[in-house]
Amino acid sequence: MGLSTVVSKPNQRTWWKDAVIYQIWPASFKDSNADGLGDIQGIIDSLDHICSLGVDAIWLSPIFESPQVDLGYDISNYESIHEPYGTISDVETLIRECHNRGLRVLFDLVINHTSNQHAWFKESRSSNSNDKRDWYIWRPAKYEDGQRRPPNNWQSFFGGSAWAWDDTRQEYYLHLFAENQPDVNWNCQELRTAIYQSAIVFWLDKGIDGFRIDAMGVWSKDQSFPDAPETDPSAPFNHQPQTLEILHEINTILSRYGDIMTVGEFGSLDDTSIALKYVGARENRVGMGFQFESACIGYSLSSFDVKPFTLVDFKKPFAKWQQFITGTDGWTTMFLENHDVARSVSRFASDHPNFRVAAAKMLAMMHVTATGTLFLYQGQEIGMTNIPAHWPIEEYKDISTQRYWSSMTTTTTTSGSETNQISGRRKLAMANILKVARDHSRTPVQWNNSAHAGFTTSPNGPWMRVNDNYVDINVSQQNRDMDSVLCYWRKLIALRREYIDLFAHGAFRYVNEGNSEIMSYVKTFDKQSALVVLNFTAMERVYEVPENFRTMHLLETNYSDMRESILQPFECRLYDSIKMTILPHEPTNAYELDSPEHSSDSYCTTFTMIYVA
């Protein structure tokens, strides 16, 4: 079982509400055996780095057996590990080593679909009389003018029809993602039982502490399979009532194992009343959800059609989900990076060398003072950036990126006008890819300035190219630099822990919401209050603390030479109503790296916060 044995109740203070979760993309985290691919042992070897951040749990993106068409989100066996990552025994060791350090372990729960190489699908497609014939969603073809057509107009999130023809069964099967990822049929009770046992109970019995739930909003489909309206292409399979029923069944299973954490993807959901049906404590379905209105502002995960946005545009959804818990029994999350979105410093601030450090620290301040459970993605703690603009498209590995590029650049003619059109589409496609491709978050973690950033010693190099800026941005260098982004994250996470009521649970309201350059807000909890000021520009800005906040004390800023009435580029400030003293102390042995390549590194000072009476 997990570490906790308390069943969650409405409005109860649970461990995961106060937690900071560190997400790991296994392929790109750390390679321990020189094959160019990250692995479980690499994670085990790096646990001291993770612990040094002050986080409470790790979340592993899929590590299960997979053909890797969608880089692990096409699972062919829930009870086996992708061979290059390691073995079941390695995972058991990881769970044990994490628990020994006080870290909880979360896995990805990917059960909207499986791989087409899963034994279940192979049986299902073998014949329409097989026992598993209804474990996936099969439908006969439509015929128009003698031509075979899919059952309806549903579109895949990766482009094209969501239906694929199978010659053996002589029917179409549904795949909301790639053709290699057939959707399972939740109307089949045998399928439900099998998934619960194989994907959930199997791992809970090994001691994991929770799940991130993939694509939870699209599990159930309208069984009349109507054409989707052009105005809402996902309407027939988005947030159907049956999905809530399934999540309740899953939560019933989880409750037998104690206070298991769950966080699910809301997808493009912007309606908080629907969100509350998922995450309201009294509903007993999901602990919290990821909203993508903030992280994906200006585009959607299913489209590369990027539109410009302003800070005022960003403020609106950010506040909506910060205020989501007020007066409700729901819970919320804070993240701007994960495996599906680009690097936050590149997208929301600046990765220019003159501003990158200040900008990454400013975004860190916004994260740690935000309401809800905080999620930190690998490499974010050192301010890793998007892929350089000069990289060719061949360096991009993600299926959605490659399909988008192909759709924008493929031509069947060679006329001059067509050539010019293709050239224009190539420029537009690459401009959008440079902004939001999922590949940006999947480059290998930059550990040091040795070959391949210390990620691998493979003579063939890593599975994906390391960002060129690893010499300037890496863990080893930032461990030795007291003013680094890494040290700042450690300091702020410790600060969040001291102020956990105020930051994670406090009420949120803007000060001067209409300001298009500065984001400032107040957090309040009981008699505590704090003012957060964030300059989102690369320019100096005149700033005066509002009169009713001038009795507050400056607690933290990212500039050592702060100027009272001037906000410097990407400056952040935190003012608090309770004066505190910051006392440095030496790091403990638990935070020392023990690998030979890092043995000479010294961790930056952590901080103890002492209240002054």
Side-chain angles (χ1 to χ4, degrees):
M1 289 191 180
L3 296 181
S4 175
T5 58
V6 180
V7 177
S8 182
K9 294 182 175 62
N11 299 318
Q12 183 178 349
R13 186 71 165 259
T14 59
W15 70 267
W16 41 265
K17 288 184 177 181
D18 295 351
V20 179
I21 314 298
Y22 185 84
Q23 184 191 353
I24 294 173
W25 181 255
S28 294
F29 190 67
K30 190 72 169 71
D31 173 21
S32 72
N33 61 0
D35 66 354
L37 196 69
D39 47 49
I40 303 300
Q41 187 59 51
I43 299 172
I44 296 171
D45 293 343
S46 306
L47 285 177
D48 286 339
H49 167 72
I50 296 170
C51 285
S52 79
L53 297 170
V55 302
D56 302 280
I58 61 171
W59 150 31
L60 273 62
S61 290
I63 56 175
F64 314 107
E65 183 180 302
S66 167
Q68 299 290 311
V69 172
D70 189 18
L71 299 179
Y73 283 90
D74 48 321
I75 297 170
S76 54
N77 188 341
Y78 292 105
E79 300 174 31
S80 181
I81 303 302
H82 183 51
E83 188 173 351
Y85 290 164
T87 65
I88 292 283
S89 178
D90 292 331
V91 176
E92 291 171 338
T93 299
L94 173 64
I95 295 170
R96 183 172 61 254
E97 290 296 321
C98 284
H99 287 175
N100 287 343
R101 289 168 168 82
L103 285 175
R104 290 176 165 91
V105 181
L106 314 176
F107 280 2
D108 235 306
L109 186 61
V110 186
I111 53 178
N112 172 73
H113 49 265
T114 70
S115 166
N116 61 355
Q117 298 305 305
H118 198 294
W120 297 345
F121 186 73
K122 290 181 178 180
E123 285 193 55
S124 187
R125 80 189 314 177
S126 65
S127 76
N128 55 16
S129 61
N130 187 276
D131 289 344
K132 292 184 176 60
R133 61 188 178 276
D134 294 328
W135 284 35
Y136 294 82
I137 299 173
W138 297 92
R139 285 295 178 273
K142 286 184 177 179
Y143 287 89
E144 298 175 3
D145 301 324
Q147 296 295 312
R148 187 181 70 219
R149 297 282 187 262
N152 59 33
N153 68 349
W154 294 4
Q155 294 292 296
S156 162
F157 292 121
F158 290 163
S161 174
W163 297 94
W165 178 255
D166 185 76
D167 285 330
T168 302
R169 275 197 57 156
Q170 290 291 295
E171 286 183 301
Y172 283 94
Y173 64 86
L174 182 69
H175 61 90
L176 293 185
F177 295 89
E179 294 93 333
N180 312 71
Q181 296 168 289
D183 285 40
V184 301
N185 179 16
W186 285 101
N187 281 341
C188 175
Q189 188 57 54
E190 291 82 3
L191 176 278
R192 285 196 197 191
T193 301
I195 279 189
Y196 296 160
Q197 179 60 44
S198 188
I200 299 174
V201 172
F202 180 86
W203 290 108
L204 288 173
D205 285 344
K206 291 190 179 296
I208 70 166
D209 306 287
F211 294 97
R212 173 266 188 181
I213 305 175
D214 184 65
M216 71 176 179
V218 300
W219 289 354
S220 178
K221 284 79 180 176
D222 186 332
Q223 292 302 292
S224 66
F225 294 95
D227 276 346
E230 290 185 11
T231 55
D232 190 2
S234 60
F237 49 81
N238 228 2
H239 310 300
Q240 296 289 313
Q242 187 189 48
T243 295
L244 300 176
E245 170 194 320
I246 297 164
L247 287 166
H248 182 74
E249 287 183 359
I250 290 174
N251 190 67
T252 300
I253 296 171
L254 301 182
S255 66
R256 303 170 193 160
Y257 291 81
D259 193 11
I260 296 298
M261 173 183 157
T262 52
V263 54
E265 285 188 304
F266 285 140
S268 59
L269 180 66
D270 60 6
D271 186 335
T272 54
S273 64
I274 295 177
L276 201 58
K277 294 179 180 179
Y278 284 92
V279 303
R282 291 173 180 83
E283 303 291 349
N284 291 314
R285 290 175 176 133
V286 183
M288 56 193 140
F290 288 132
Q291 60 87 8
F292 286 88
E293 280 194 279
S294 299
C296 292
I297 189 169
Y299 80 111
S300 71
L301 285 176
S302 59
S303 169
F304 279 82
D305 185 17
V306 184
K307 299 291 192 295
F309 63 91
T310 66
L311 179 60
V312 174
D313 295 332
F314 175 83
K315 286 180 179 180
K316 294 174 183 177
F318 185 81
K320 179 203 296 187
W321 294 98
Q322 286 292 288
Q323 295 166 347
F324 173 63
I325 70 171
T326 303
T328 75
D329 64 346
W331 193 244
T332 192
T333 60
M334 175 62 203
F335 80 99
L336 283 182
E337 286 190 28
N338 67 21
H339 63 288
D340 278 334
V341 297
R343 290 293 182 177
S344 59
V345 71
S346 298
R347 190 160 132 72
F348 294 100
S350 173
D351 57 15
H352 189 282
N354 291 347
F355 304 115
R356 177 185 54 79
V357 172
K361 290 179 178 180
M362 183 270 292
L363 291 175
M365 177 68 78
M366 182 173 68
H367 278 72
V368 300
T369 58
T371 304
T373 301
L374 173 59
F375 287 79
L376 176 63
Y377 181 70
Q378 66 179 46
Q380 186 178 3
E381 75 269 28
I382 59 172
M384 284 180 62
T385 68
N386 278 1
I387 288 171
H390 66 267
W391 281 19
I393 191 62
E394 290 76 19
E395 298 288 359
Y396 290 79
K397 307 298 184 183
D398 180 45
I399 183 174
S400 62
T401 305
Q402 290 294 341
R403 287 192 174 189
Y404 170 66
W405 176 259
S406 179
S407 72
M408 293 289 283
T409 60
T410 300
T411 179
T412 57
T413 65
T414 56
S415 67
S417 61
E418 180 69 15
T419 300
N420 290 336
Q421 290 175 14
I422 289 295
S423 177
R425 291 206 298 269
R426 281 177 181 267
K427 291 179 181 178
L428 175 61
M430 185 51 74
N432 288 339
I433 287 169
L434 286 170
K435 291 184 179 78
V436 300
R438 301 195 299 183
D439 307 76
H440 294 300
S441 60
R442 301 178 180 188
T443 58
V445 170
Q446 296 159 206
W447 292 100
N448 56 47
N449 62 4
S450 66
H452 311 305
F455 164 74
T456 184
T457 57
S458 168
N460 298 318
W463 76 279
M464 186 179 187
R465 181 172 169 179
V466 174
N467 196 310
D468 301 346
N469 60 19
Y470 73 90
V471 174
D472 300 312
I473 304 174
N474 63 74
V475 172
S476 179
Q477 182 272 331
Q478 292 193 25
N479 270 328
R480 297 189 294 268
D481 179 4
M482 291 293 296
D483 292 324
S484 67
V485 176
L486 175 59
C487 288
Y488 205 66
W489 266 107
R490 288 184 178 130
K491 180 180 182 181
L492 290 185
I493 289 174
L495 184 65
R496 178 180 172 89
R497 194 169 302 283
E498 293 294 327
Y499 279 79
I500 194 66
D501 289 341
L502 182 60
F503 294 152
H505 298 261
F508 173 100
R509 67 177 176 87
Y510 281 124
V511 177
N512 193 6
E513 182 176 356
N515 192 312
S516 61
E517 298 177 329
I518 298 170
M519 182 173 175
S520 55
Y521 51 87
V522 175
K523 299 296 293 290
T524 56
F525 185 91
D526 290 341
K527 296 180 180 180
Q528 300 180 59
S529 60
L531 170 67
V532 181
V533 182
L534 311 169
N535 180 7
F536 268 82
T537 76
M539 297 170 285
E540 293 185 348
R541 286 291 175 255
V542 175
Y543 179 77
E544 295 288 346
V545 175
E547 185 174 356
N548 53 331
F549 299 113
R550 288 177 186 168
T551 58
M552 286 187 168
H553 308 273
L554 178 68
L555 180 60
E556 183 54 57
T557 178
N558 57 346
Y559 274 84
S560 59
D561 57 342
M562 193 198 82
R563 297 152 64 186
E564 189 66 30
S565 300
I566 297 291
L567 288 177
Q568 297 180 70
F570 298 105
E571 183 174 353
C572 63
R573 296 183 188 177
L574 172 62
Y575 296 89
D576 182 43
S577 61
I578 302 177
K579 187 175 182 179
M580 305 181 76
T581 302
I582 305 177
L583 298 178
H585 65 78
E586 292 302 316
T588 66
N589 290 335
Y591 294 160
E592 293 176 358
L593 292 173
D594 55 9
S595 62
E597 64 189 276
H598 292 126
S599 59
S600 62
D601 294 344
S602 60
Y603 274 95
C604 49
T605 305
T606 54
F607 291 79
T608 300
M609 315 301 296
I610 309 296
Y611 284 95
V612 176

